[in-house]
Every structure is written in C-alpha cells, then in structure tokens.
Amino acid sequence: MEQFERRCEEIEAHQRTLCEQLQQLSQRAVWAVCQAADESLRDLSGAVTGKVEDGLSQPVAAYEHRLRKAGTLLREGSQGLAAQIARLQWLHRQLVWKVVAVAFGSLLLLLAGGGWLSSRYRADIERQRVGADLLRAYNRADVSLCDGRLCANVDLKGRAYGEDKQYRPVRPRR
C-alpha cells in the first residue's frame, strides 16, 4: 500500500511538472508566434506600403489571414491541452480518493476481524479455564490407573461430600 501511495505521489509530481512545462511551452509558443507575427508585420508594414501600389496587397492579406488562422489554431490547441490536463488532474484526484477509501475500508475490515477473533478466543479461553483448573487438581491429587480404572488415595479422615456423603478428598501427591 505504501509503495502504491508512493508511486501515486510520484505520478502526481510528474504530472504536475509536465503540466507546468506544458503550460509554459504553450504560453511560449503563443508568445513566440505572436511576437514573430508582430515582428513580421512590423517588418512587412514598411515594405508593403511601398509595394501596395504595385499590386502586392492581395498576397500580403492572404499571408496575414494564414498567420491569424495559425495563431487561432495554436490558441485552440493550447486550450484543448489545458482542458486535457485539467481532466487528468481531476482523474488523479479521483484515484487518490478511491485509494484512500479502499485503505480505510481495509483497515475497518481488519479491525472488525480482529475484534471478532479476539471475542472468539476470549470465549475459548474462558471455556478452557474450567478444564485447566480440573487438570491442575488431578495433577496435585494422588490418583493412578488400576487395571484401566481410576484409583485414588482417599483421605478417610477428611470431610465427606455429596448427597449420600460418598465422596472424600484425595490426598495430595508426595
């Protein structure tokens, strides 16, 4: 997950850098075309005024028209590129939100699973605690197997238990 987040951050930084470079490039291209057009028009204006009388006004107008059309196309292209960059940024934000939502959901699922396992094991421990107490008492008592049956060294002087007083304490092991 950390590697994925790191990769997303790298992609975002790279996209920002490319976006800035692209915006700068489009601004420079528009500026360069406009400056070139301005310089061309300035240079041509002096020469054209002298030759307009000679019938060159029509080719100059066609050149200016093509130049304006190229400038318009460049502007439209840069605006389209800016719109695509904005769309990519929006998609990136959506991706980041989805990653955060998946990480949060996974964390909640992990916590819920941990809580469920914890409660289940707690119940198992409580059930086994009674058995463990009984096994400790067996280990302390002086009992053994006699022909497949349980025999005990009973304390005959001890207090009797049960409805018919049939149970006596077992002596501890030595």
Side-chain angles (χ1 to χ4, degrees), residues 1 8 11 17 30 35-36 38 45 53 61 70 75 98-99 104 118 123 125 133 136 149-150 156 159 167 171:
M1 208 54 190
C8 283
I11 289 170
T17 305
V30 170
Q35 188 175 10
D38 288 343
S45 65
E53 297 168 1
R75 257 187 246 111
K98 287 177 183 176
V99 167
F104 184 71
S118 173
I125 289 170
D133 290 342
R136 273 192 225 102
R149 295 181 60 185
L150 189 61
L156 296 174
R159 182 174 162 214
Y167 298 111
R171 288 191 181 140

Side-chain angles (χ1 to χ4, degrees), residues 59-71:
V60 170
Y63 176 73
E64 287 177 347
H65 177 68
R66 283 191 303 252
L67 202 54
R68 281 191 210 106
K69 190 174 182 180

Side-chain angles (χ1 to χ4, degrees), residues 17 25 28 34 37 40 67 72 81-82 84 92 107-108 110 163:
T17 305
L25 181 62
R28 283 186 207 147
C34 288
S40 295
L67 202 54
T72 303
L81 195 57
Q84 286 180 347
H92 183 261
L107 182 64
L108 285 178
L110 185 66
E163 291 179 15

